[in-house]
């Protein structure tokens, strides 16, 4: 792990109390017109907490992306997070068995979530005067959409003009996201296993 990465990790950890203060303040009394409703001292404190949150978000995004490509950062950070220690062969075997269990159980859970996200069920009770013979009807189906059309706004405006970017949530549907995670988990496992076998 490089010196810059260590600085980013420490910042993310030590900035959490300030984020808790910011979120608690925002929930209890969100200053919509902070420039008019807050005194200069409180307004300055709000701005400082806002900048801490912005830098924390950028740092978290940086680490998340770099962990996909940097083995050193990924192993060092996630081993500390999961408290994995590989001091001898016995602990390596225990870690390997635990990782295998975690991989397979997570894959099973993702498959269950994918099925629940795709499956649709409808129970209909028809009125007594309905001419159709079946009064109680159960319909089962499957539906899959890649993009959630409700996750983005077609247009947005403020007092000064047109909003350029309005990102609020990930545009993929839950089913597409789970499918992508399954493909990543299985694909990354096979890729790594093949590299280990080839030496």
């Amino acid at each position: 792990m490089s010196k810059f990465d260590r600085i980013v990790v420490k910042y993310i950890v030590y900035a959490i109390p300030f984020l808790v203060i910011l979120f608690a303040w925002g929930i209890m009394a969100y200053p919509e017109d902070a420039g008019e409703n807050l005194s200069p001292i409180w307004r300055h404190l709000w701005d400082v907490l806002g900048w801490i949150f912005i830098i924390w978000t950028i740092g978290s995004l940086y680490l998340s992306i770099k962990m996909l490509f940097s083995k050193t950062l990924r192993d060092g950070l996630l081993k500390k997070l999961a408290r994995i220690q590989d001091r001898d062969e016995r602990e390596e075997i225990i870690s390997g068995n635990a990782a295998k269990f975690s991989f397979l159980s997570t894959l099973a859970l993702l498959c269950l979530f994918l099925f629940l996200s795709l499956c649709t069920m409808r129970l209909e009770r028809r009125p007594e005067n309905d001419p159709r013979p079946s009064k109680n009807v159960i319909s089962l189906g499957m539906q899959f959409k890649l993009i959630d059309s409700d996750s983005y706004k077609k247009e947005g405006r403020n007092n000064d003009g047109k909003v350029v970017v309005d990102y609020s949530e990930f545009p993929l549907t839950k089913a597409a996201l789970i499918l992508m995670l399954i493909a990543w988990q299985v694909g990354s496992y096979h890729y790594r296993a093949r590299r280990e076998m080839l030496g």
Side-chain angles (χ1 to χ4, degrees), residues 49 91 192:
L49 290 173
E91 288 186 350
R192 185 64 188 178

Side-chain angles (χ1 to χ4, degrees), residues 23-136:
F23 294 147
W25 187 2
I27 291 170
M28 289 187 294
Y30 179 71
E32 294 179 358
D33 299 321
E36 298 175 7
N37 297 335
L38 294 177
S39 65
I41 295 174
W42 290 108
R43 172 63 181 165
H44 183 67
L45 179 60
W46 177 261
D47 290 342
V48 169
L49 290 173
W51 278 107
I52 290 173
F53 175 65
I54 290 170
I55 297 169
W56 187 88
T57 304
I58 294 170
S60 299
L61 180 62
Y62 164 77
L63 283 181
S64 300
I65 293 172
K66 190 169 181 182
M67 274 196 297
L68 291 174
F69 305 104
S70 173
K71 181 181 184 300
T72 307
L73 177 63
R74 183 174 58 244
D75 289 353
L77 197 58
L78 295 181
K79 278 184 178 180
K80 284 183 181 178
L81 185 66
R83 297 186 180 182
I84 296 173
Q85 296 177 349
D86 294 333
R87 291 174 292 196
D88 56 23
E89 289 183 7
R90 180 179 168 274
E91 288 186 350
E92 285 183 3
I93 293 172
I94 292 172
S95 295
N97 289 335
K100 181 181 176 182
F101 169 78
S102 177
F103 172 80
L104 295 175
S105 60
T106 304
L107 188 60
L109 191 62
L110 285 172
C111 290
L112 173 64
F113 287 161
L114 178 63
F115 174 77
L116 293 176
S117 299
L118 294 175
C119 184
T120 61
M121 183 183 74
R122 182 179 177 187
L123 176 61
E124 182 182 355
R125 180 167 289 175
R126 293 172 179 162
E128 293 296 330
N129 57 0
D130 195 304
R132 289 172 290 186
S134 300
K135 299 302 178 188
N136 297 322

Side-chain angles (χ1 to χ4, degrees), residues 16-27:
I16 289 176
F18 297 101
L19 300 185
V20 171
I21 294 170
L22 176 67
F23 294 147
W25 187 2
I27 291 170

Side-chain angles (χ1 to χ4, degrees), residues 131-151:
R132 289 172 290 186
S134 300
K135 299 302 178 188
N136 297 322
V137 178
I138 297 176
S139 60
L140 296 173
M142 302 285 272
Q143 66 174 357
F144 179 74
K145 290 192 302 182
L146 186 62
I147 302 294
D148 184 9
S149 57
D150 297 329
S151 67

Side-chain angles (χ1 to χ4, degrees), residues 153-158 161-164 166:
K153 298 180 177 68
K154 301 246 188 286
E155 71 176 72
R157 295 184 178 276
N158 58 17
K162 194 169 185 180
V163 175
V164 179
D166 191 3

